[in-house]
Amino acid sequence: MDVEQDGVEREWQRVVAAIRQARTIDLICHINPDGDALGSALAAGIALRALGHTVRVSFGEDPQVIPESLAFLPGQDLIVPAAEVPQVPELVVCFDVAAESRLGLLHGKAFAAPALIVIDHHASNPGFGTHRLIDPSAPATAVLVDELLRRLQVPLDQELATCLYTGVATDTGSFRYRATTPATHEFAARLLATGIRHDLISRTLWDTSSFGYLKVLAAALDRAAYEPEAAGGLGLVWTWVPYQDLALFGVTIEEIEGLIDVLRRPAEAEVALVLKQDPDGTLRGSCRAKGAVDVAAVCAELGGGGHRFAAGFALREDVPTAAARFRAALRTAC
């Protein structure tokens, strides 16, 4: 075992020991949770409850909104409002939280805990917390949770597999992204062997929407702009979604997460960006790249982060200013 592997193994042992010793554990995923964040937290919550721990799952938003596409996930009876997390928790475990800012309303409570375990796979993670299991080579945080469950000797069942499959399928784009490896498929095979209906999970995640979403999508695509000179001449395609559109058609901001995957299709553009407006005017940026640009570095310039191929940020700016700042960060990266 080399020095780096030895260090990782020691950290795993520290994490397992801290979890075994805790009576009450607060499991936190990032604000605006996706399938990997919520799936990972709920899988851990179900497993730890089965081991006899008192468990709460939460994320730092008020009100908390679970995307309709994730409503099927088991274990949601464990979810509590951020206000119900104690001011000084006994032990906090964060899942898929790439930056402290993504803790939202739970930031202060998480850092007040004597032990703060960070389980994540984002290369942009700065390494906060007292215990860190951060593996940028993992295709999803769910893969690290699977290893945690193995070390805690919790056998896979359909509930756990549903949560973990949702996590890995979400963050690999249904096993299409570059981070997908033979080991990723082997992991998915173990999950499928429990008897989960992966076809129903995939249909819910990607192939189900409201009619209102189609109207919002149509308007967003009509606004789309192509800038061939952006990203050092590699091209940018971008659009934005005003909150008024969401309100008009009864669509939540979570429901339009998949819009970026439509916008990234043009062969002419290396980078795609969608700016989504919250009711308070905050713009959430979701961006994708095809490999020539590290969008995690671009978004880090704007206070966000993520992966080389997929990242995000949030700005309290108007649309022209936010777009201009994103172009400037692109110039720096290129």
Side-chain angles (χ1 to χ4, degrees):
M1 183 180 293
D2 62 27
V3 174
E4 183 177 356
Q5 288 176 322
D6 187 53
V8 171
E9 179 59 29
R10 285 200 303 271
E11 194 68 356
W12 270 112
Q13 291 174 5
R14 290 181 66 228
V15 166
V16 170
I19 289 174
R20 289 195 183 282
Q21 292 167 10
R23 297 185 61 183
T24 303
I25 304 175
D26 286 278
L27 309 177
I28 299 174
C29 58
H30 61 68
I31 56 176
N32 187 29
D34 59 6
D36 191 27
L38 191 61
S40 294
L42 290 174
I46 293 168
L48 293 174
R49 177 168 60 181
L51 291 175
H53 299 275
T54 298
V55 179
R56 289 179 291 258
V57 175
S58 192
F59 54 98
E61 291 179 289
D62 183 20
Q64 292 175 334
V65 178
I66 306 297
E68 283 292 324
S69 61
L70 300 178
F72 68 90
L73 286 175
Q76 295 196 36
D77 58 304
L78 292 169
I79 298 176
V80 302
E84 291 188 18
V85 175
Q87 292 297 323
V88 183
E90 180 183 356
L91 172 66
V92 170
V93 186
C94 295
F95 299 91
D96 207 45
V97 181
E100 293 180 27
S101 61
R102 300 285 282 161
L103 291 167
L105 299 174
L106 289 172
H107 180 278
K109 293 179 177 182
F111 278 86
L116 171 58
I117 298 170
V118 176
I119 301 179
D120 188 29
H121 71 126
H122 291 89
S124 61
N125 193 305
F128 62 94
T130 60
H131 301 63
R132 306 176 190 93
L133 293 173
I134 303 169
D135 183 3
S137 70
T141 297
V143 173
L144 301 176
V145 175
D146 176 65
E147 175 63 13
L148 176 64
L149 302 189
R150 185 187 70 79
R151 289 171 179 264
L152 291 171
Q153 299 181 322
V154 178
L156 279 177
D157 59 18
Q158 288 191 8
E159 283 196 334
L160 294 172
T162 295
C163 293
L164 296 177
Y165 186 88
T166 299
V168 71
T170 297
D171 265 27
T172 60
S174 193
F175 307 96
R176 292 178 293 130
Y177 298 160
R178 189 175 180 179
T180 304
T181 65
T184 310
H185 286 290
E186 291 169 359
F187 172 48
R190 286 197 293 108
L191 301 177
L192 294 182
T194 66
I196 60 172
R197 287 291 302 275
H198 65 284
D199 56 327
L200 298 182
I201 293 173
S202 296
R203 185 185 308 164
T204 303
L205 290 175
W206 292 289
D207 297 331
T208 303
S209 73
S210 66
F211 180 73
Y213 168 76
L214 298 182
K215 304 295 283 186
V216 172
L217 173 63
L221 293 179
D222 190 52
R223 289 189 200 97
Y226 168 51
E227 300 180 7
E229 73 286 352
L234 295 173
L236 165 69
V237 60
W238 73 282
T239 191
W240 70 289
V241 180
Y243 177 71
Q244 288 85 347
D245 278 12
L246 302 178
L248 177 62
F249 296 110
V251 175
T252 65
I253 199 165
E254 290 77 20
E255 191 176 352
I256 62 170
E257 286 299 308
L259 172 56
I260 186 64
D261 293 315
V262 178
L263 203 69
R264 67 195 291 266
R265 293 179 182 177
E268 298 90 340
E270 161 68 19
V271 179
L273 168 69
V274 176
L275 297 172
K276 300 159 291 185
Q277 190 178 52
D278 279 340
D280 66 359
T282 299
L283 290 172
R284 301 189 196 181
S286 295
C287 57
R288 300 288 186 271
K290 297 172 181 175
V293 175
D294 182 355
V295 290
V298 174
C299 289
E301 291 286 325
L302 302 174
H307 306 286
R308 179 179 182 87
F309 297 91
F313 60 88
L315 293 174
R316 291 299 298 271
E317 307 278 8
D318 57 30
V319 171
T321 302
R325 289 187 61 184
F326 184 78
R327 291 188 200 96
L330 266 181
R331 285 194 295 271
T332 301
C334 296

